[in-house]
Amino acid sequence: MDKATSGWINGFVGVLIFSGSLPATRVAVMDFSPVFLTVTRATLAGLLGLALLMVFREKRPSRDDLVSLVIVALGVVVGFPLLTALALEHVTSAHSIVFIGLLPLATAIFAVLRGGERPRPAFWMFSCLGSALVAGFALSQGLSASPVGDLLMLAAVIVCGLGYAEGAKLSRRLGGWQVICWALVLSLPVMLTLSIVTFPPTLHDVSAAAWTGLAYVSLFSMLIGFIFWYRGLAQGGIAAVGQLQLLQPFFGLALAAGLLHEKVSPAMVVVTLGVVLCVAGAKRFAG
């Protein structure tokens, strides 16, 4: 199997795993505070990441890599989980999932700024068209559903795109799973402390569904998904493989409807179909 094909396969597996993140977060924030959920998922994943690094006796990253690891940590360990958890107090997971259609464009922009990639002009046309469909959907709702929730989701997309691009660039030197593990370990002292400080006074009212949501975002969203995702971006190109994220709304909407029984409006489906069609054009001109 050639490197590019492997990159697309790894990227696709990563997207499948990430598709459950927002529905799982939505369930978890029903019983946990957004801050506690964010720091605890990072703490649990950080402890697992530390164990992996110790078992495989990975050498420490160089000083030159520390800035990039801090950016990754702020983007995907802290920023995206916290902002989406806060957003999901105001909007449904089905509504928030549509915003994920903006992630490929954000990732591609940072692929240019941080990764040195240069997609062709036609690539930007398709990427911008897909993003315009997502923005149009939000505006069609009049932002009346929750302006705060929409703005939080937009901020989450921006910091996540930066974290994806930075982590993918670093993965070319350190390896995909090593990058997310080191970013988690770097965050661990602060996350562990905050987990203790924000620990709920009682756990009696926490449902099994909330515990399941916490387990999913800790193990899969925060660690396993990134192992595949960063490897895929590094192998197949950040801007190109990043377009696979446009498949994520499809899977996420299906989960929101099937597991959470949330209403998926025809407009959501139309927008999701539109952005997925745009990825076909963007992929063709990504190189």
Side-chain angles (χ1 to χ4, degrees):
M1 183 184 302
D2 62 75
K3 187 176 181 181
T5 301
S6 177
W8 282 94
I9 292 174
N10 279 297
F12 182 76
V13 174
V15 166
L16 279 176
I17 293 173
F18 291 150
S19 296
S21 298
L22 292 179
T25 300
R26 174 68 173 173
V27 170
V29 295
M30 291 180 180
D31 293 331
F32 295 117
S33 74
V35 174
F36 175 76
L37 177 64
T38 299
V39 297
T40 301
R41 67 187 277 184
T43 297
L44 295 174
L47 292 172
L48 289 172
L50 178 61
L52 285 173
L53 292 169
M54 293 178 65
V55 167
F56 290 99
R57 298 181 180 180
E58 292 291 321
K59 66 177 182 179
R60 295 180 181 179
S62 66
R63 290 184 179 180
D64 294 337
D65 295 329
L66 289 180
V67 173
S68 290
L69 285 171
V70 169
I71 293 174
V72 173
L74 291 175
V76 303
V77 176
V78 180
F80 185 77
L82 178 59
L83 290 168
T84 53
L86 290 170
L88 287 166
E89 288 192 316
H90 303 277
V91 298
T92 66
S93 63
H95 181 86
S96 65
I97 283 167
V98 180
F99 279 81
I100 301 301
L102 292 168
L103 256 178
L105 180 59
T107 304
I109 290 172
F110 287 114
V112 172
L113 297 176
R114 301 295 300 174
E117 296 189 2
R118 294 293 183 269
R120 286 181 276 176
F123 167 87
W124 297 109
M125 181 186 72
F126 283 106
S127 290
C128 289
L129 179 58
S131 298
L133 288 172
V134 175
F137 169 79
L139 292 174
S140 72
Q141 307 301 302
L143 296 181
S144 58
S146 174
V148 173
D150 287 347
L151 289 173
L152 285 168
M153 281 303 304
L154 183 60
V157 164
I158 293 172
V159 299
C160 189
L162 174 59
Y164 281 171
E166 195 71 28
K169 182 184 71 172
L170 196 56
S171 294
R172 295 166 182 165
R173 297 200 302 274
L174 298 183
W177 72 268
Q178 291 91 337
V179 167
I180 189 59
C181 285
W182 282 118
L184 287 165
V185 168
L186 190 63
S187 311
L188 187 56
V190 175
M191 296 295 102
L192 178 58
T193 301
L194 291 176
S195 293
I196 296 172
V197 171
T198 61
F199 199 85
T202 178
L203 298 176
H204 293 302
D205 297 329
V206 179
S207 65
W211 284 117
T212 301
L214 173 60
Y216 187 92
V217 296
S218 300
L219 180 59
F220 291 94
S221 304
M222 200 80 267
L223 182 61
I224 296 176
F226 279 103
I227 294 175
F228 290 98
W229 184 240
Y230 277 150
R231 182 174 177 82
L233 291 175
Q235 290 178 326
I238 301 170
V241 175
Q243 299 304 302
L244 281 171
Q245 293 165 104
L246 287 175
L247 295 173
Q248 191 168 328
F250 262 136
F251 304 133
L253 289 175
L255 288 171
L259 298 180
L260 305 182
H261 307 293
E262 293 182 356
K263 181 180 179 181
V264 178
S265 68
M268 292 179 184
V269 176
V270 170
V271 170
T272 303
L273 283 169
V275 294
V276 171
L277 289 175
C278 287
V279 74
K283 176 181 177 294
R284 182 177 181 182
F285 297 103

